[in-house]
Amino acid sequence: MWSLYTYHQLLAFLLTFLSYVLLHSSRKTFSNVKVSISAQWTPSGLQQNGSALALSPGETWEDNKLFADVGEATLFLGALDSIFLFSYAVGLYISGVIGDRFNLRYVLSFGLCGSAVTEFVFGTLTEWLHFYNVYFYCVLWVINGLLQSTVWPCVVAIMGNWFGKSGRGFVFGLWSACASVGNILGAFLASSVLKFGYEYAFLVTSVVQFAGGVVVFFGLLTSPKEIGLSDLSETVLTSVTRDSDSQRPLMSDDEDELCEEYSSIQHQDEEPEPQPEAIGFLQAFCLPGVLPYSLAYACLKLVNYSFFFWLPFYLSNNFGWKEVQADRLSVWYDVGGIVGGTVQGLISDLLGKRAPVLVVSLLLAMGALVGYSHSPNNQIVNGALLATTGFLIGGPSNMISSAISADLGRQEALQNSQQALATVTGIVDGTGSIGAAGGQYLVSLIESKFGWMCVFYFFIVMTGSSVLFIIPLLFREIRSLCRDSQARTHQL
């Protein structure tokens, strides 16, 4: 029975991990080809980008140019980032509620496939047809944000269904590397085909993402109850009544025999376990810890996504490195985030508390940002500083969006009688995305008016603000640790 559980846990881990890897891979494409897009949309950008000359003859931008110079194009690219994140944030509030009320597998697959089609139209089809329109781009990016918002609440809820609180920090810390792995994959996919034109970067990642959505639809089990196993929130592993066939993926033909085997140990007079009711949106917002962590994540995600959206652009423009070199160097930030999320999650499990680990990491991150803002024009030094910054910023970001969101959605205040995982995840990530959305336009505005150094000062202020929101939770957890220590002392 436990071996079956372990097998399906591994399958759920891998498929949800794959889902967000592919989503972030396609999302990363846009940030990795900003220089090429700017070159295509502006005459001055075309002249500055040597690789674009061979791909985009002068007549192309003369007939279809959108902006007079790179500065205008940069502001619009920042506006597109903000448009995407604002629609993504609004969608998260809605998708979390939907995820707690409908089949998570259907919602997840729809989001993956729909987003892939939208990105194909945005980056590939418009270029093939030589159709350039500011308003059309904006509408597509709103749709893309809404579709992508369905994915994160669903995958966190599915992981929360399969993995209990014990060891959640480490498991979710390792699993939350999916975003960073997706960034790395997207950077390498985009850079490998960028020489043929930025439209092929969108083509490759969108096709791969669509295929992943199909695999998830046919292969993912959203909870242990779908194969007759009890929820991990229970203390004893017992068999329960299966969900309806509509909740089961099409590739699980062999599960009928397994369910019959486990149901044979049930008492004949045992009544089916009632399904938990989905919690209301306002109720979820008022749960302990949801609001402060949401506000902290708004500040932190602003910084994290600014690196995500603007790092290749910054490296290329500030140091004069080729776009392909900048894309590949930017992955070191994500490498640091992968290690940071896993290590910090493990430490928080051993400590039994999350807030102290977050605060220490974020305080160190403020110093790392100062160091990175003075990075020399050396790729090795820059990569090392990037990895350190990613460890200290990406780690806490991964913890809040995954392990802490799962903790909040399964806390004692719910008494295991209400379904809140997807709703709480949507609130935390949605609030974070609102902060990130406003930040992306501010980054482009600050950079155009004051330069990149002021952008890094802005990041330091936002990181410090995230610490301030966590401080009340830090004091509460420190008091709890002190009480536990005193209790152990008295027992001895």
Side-chain angles (χ1 to χ4, degrees):
M1 194 178 301
W2 279 108
S3 61
L4 175 68
Y5 220 116
T6 303
Y7 165 75
H8 285 293
Q9 281 180 318
L10 179 61
L11 187 62
F13 185 102
L14 292 176
L15 286 179
T16 52
F17 188 92
L18 174 68
S19 298
Y20 213 66
V21 164
L22 297 180
L23 188 79
H24 248 260
S25 175
S26 62
R27 189 185 298 178
K28 181 68 173 172
T29 300
F30 181 64
S31 65
N32 282 353
V33 300
K34 279 183 175 177
V35 174
S36 294
I37 291 177
S38 176
Q40 181 72 1
W41 289 352
T42 62
S44 58
L46 180 64
Q47 294 164 3
Q48 292 174 6
N49 188 281
S51 62
L53 281 170
L55 300 171
S56 305
E59 305 85 59
T60 300
W61 60 258
E62 282 292 350
D63 294 338
N64 305 295
K65 69 176 183 179
L66 296 178
F67 305 101
D69 55 47
V70 174
E72 290 184 11
T74 301
L75 286 175
F76 180 67
L77 291 172
L80 280 180
D81 289 337
S82 293
I83 288 170
F84 170 81
L85 285 173
F86 271 123
S87 60
Y88 182 72
V90 172
L92 281 167
Y93 290 126
I94 301 170
S95 300
V97 175
I98 292 174
D100 279 332
R101 287 165 172 77
F102 294 94
N103 189 327
L104 291 168
R105 179 167 52 87
Y106 293 165
V107 179
L108 175 58
S109 301
F110 175 76
L112 286 171
C113 294
S115 171
V117 172
T118 305
E119 289 168 350
F120 169 78
V121 174
F122 177 92
T124 304
L125 190 60
T126 55
E127 182 61 30
W128 284 349
L129 298 176
H130 298 295
F131 178 77
Y132 308 96
N133 185 280
V134 169
Y135 302 106
F136 186 66
Y137 287 138
C138 291
V139 170
L140 283 178
W141 238 219
V142 168
I143 296 172
N144 192 35
L146 293 174
L147 288 169
Q148 290 204 11
S149 70
T150 62
V151 176
W152 186 251
C154 291
V155 293
V156 173
I158 292 169
M159 283 292 292
N161 289 337
W162 280 104
F163 293 90
K165 188 172 183 180
S166 176
R168 182 179 286 159
F170 173 73
V171 172
F172 274 72
L174 183 63
W175 174 83
S176 63
C178 55
S180 297
V181 172
N183 294 344
I184 295 171
L185 177 63
F188 279 101
L189 286 177
S191 62
S192 64
V193 298
L194 190 57
K195 60 184 177 181
F196 302 109
Y198 73 82
E199 64 270 26
Y200 291 96
F202 281 101
L203 174 64
V204 170
T205 52
S206 61
V207 168
V208 172
Q209 179 181 320
F210 189 92
V214 174
V215 171
V216 166
F217 180 82
F218 286 105
L220 181 64
L221 289 165
T222 61
S223 75
K225 294 179 181 179
E226 293 190 12
I227 55 169
L229 297 175
S230 67
D231 198 307
L232 276 173
S233 62
E234 300 175 22
T235 56
V236 180
L237 188 65
T238 58
S239 55
V240 296
T241 304
R242 284 189 297 158
D243 292 345
S244 64
D245 289 341
S246 64
Q247 296 288 320
R248 294 164 46 85
L250 303 181
M251 286 178 62
S252 56
D253 297 332
D254 59 331
E255 300 297 344
D256 290 333
E257 298 178 3
L258 294 171
C259 292
E260 291 174 5
E261 176 184 349
Y262 294 126
S263 62
S264 64
I265 66 172
Q266 286 184 294
H267 296 294
Q268 294 298 323
D269 59 342
E270 183 178 358
E271 296 182 359
E273 181 179 303
Q275 293 294 315
E277 296 181 2
I279 194 171
F281 180 84
L282 292 179
Q283 286 179 284
F285 220 114
C286 295
L287 287 172
V290 170
L291 182 58
Y293 272 124
S294 297
L295 294 175
Y297 192 50
C299 299
L300 188 57
K301 191 168 184 177
L302 185 156
V303 179
N304 199 41
Y305 263 58
S306 295
F307 273 91
F308 171 78
F309 281 119
W310 289 103
L311 184 55
F313 188 86
Y314 164 74
L315 293 173
S316 181
N317 282 268
N318 192 61
F319 296 108
W321 298 333
K322 293 181 180 179
E323 190 174 17
V324 172
Q325 292 177 320
D327 289 347
R328 291 181 175 174
L329 185 63
S330 68
V331 305
W332 287 106
Y333 180 84
D334 296 298
V335 171
I338 293 172
V339 179
T342 305
V343 172
Q344 293 175 35
L346 177 60
I347 294 173
S348 69
D349 280 342
L350 297 174
L351 189 62
K353 307 294 178 184
R354 312 284 191 207
V357 179
L358 293 178
V359 170
V360 171
S361 181
L362 292 175
L363 289 175
L364 293 174
M366 296 171 70
L369 285 168
V370 174
Y372 185 71
S373 67
H374 293 87
S375 173
N377 192 346
N378 182 291
Q379 293 190 16
I380 296 177
V381 175
N382 196 286
L385 291 173
L386 265 181
T388 302
T389 306
F391 181 94
L392 297 171
I393 294 178
S397 179
N398 290 344
M399 282 183 61
I400 294 176
S401 63
S402 58
I404 290 175
S405 294
D407 290 344
L408 296 173
R410 282 289 179 89
Q411 58 183 289
E412 294 179 358
L414 293 168
Q415 299 177 345
N416 294 323
S417 61
Q418 294 173 305
Q419 186 72 16
L421 261 174
T423 303
V424 168
T425 302
I427 290 173
V428 174
D429 204 24
T431 307
S433 296
I434 289 177
Q440 301 321 299
Y441 188 74
L442 285 175
V443 167
S444 61
L445 188 63
I446 293 172
E447 189 277 328
S448 63
K449 299 293 184 181
F450 306 105
W452 284 107
M453 187 59 68
C454 289
V455 172
F456 284 104
Y457 292 150
F458 177 57
F459 291 165
I460 293 169
V461 171
M462 288 297 100
T463 305
S465 299
S466 65
V467 174
L468 292 178
F469 287 119
I470 301 175
I471 288 295
L473 301 173
L474 174 68
F475 289 155
R476 186 176 69 187
E477 293 189 2
I478 289 177
R479 286 196 297 267
S480 176
L481 285 173
C482 292
R483 286 196 299 267
D484 293 343
S485 178
Q486 291 175 355
R488 286 193 296 267
T489 303
H490 291 316
Q491 289 177 355
L492 295 175

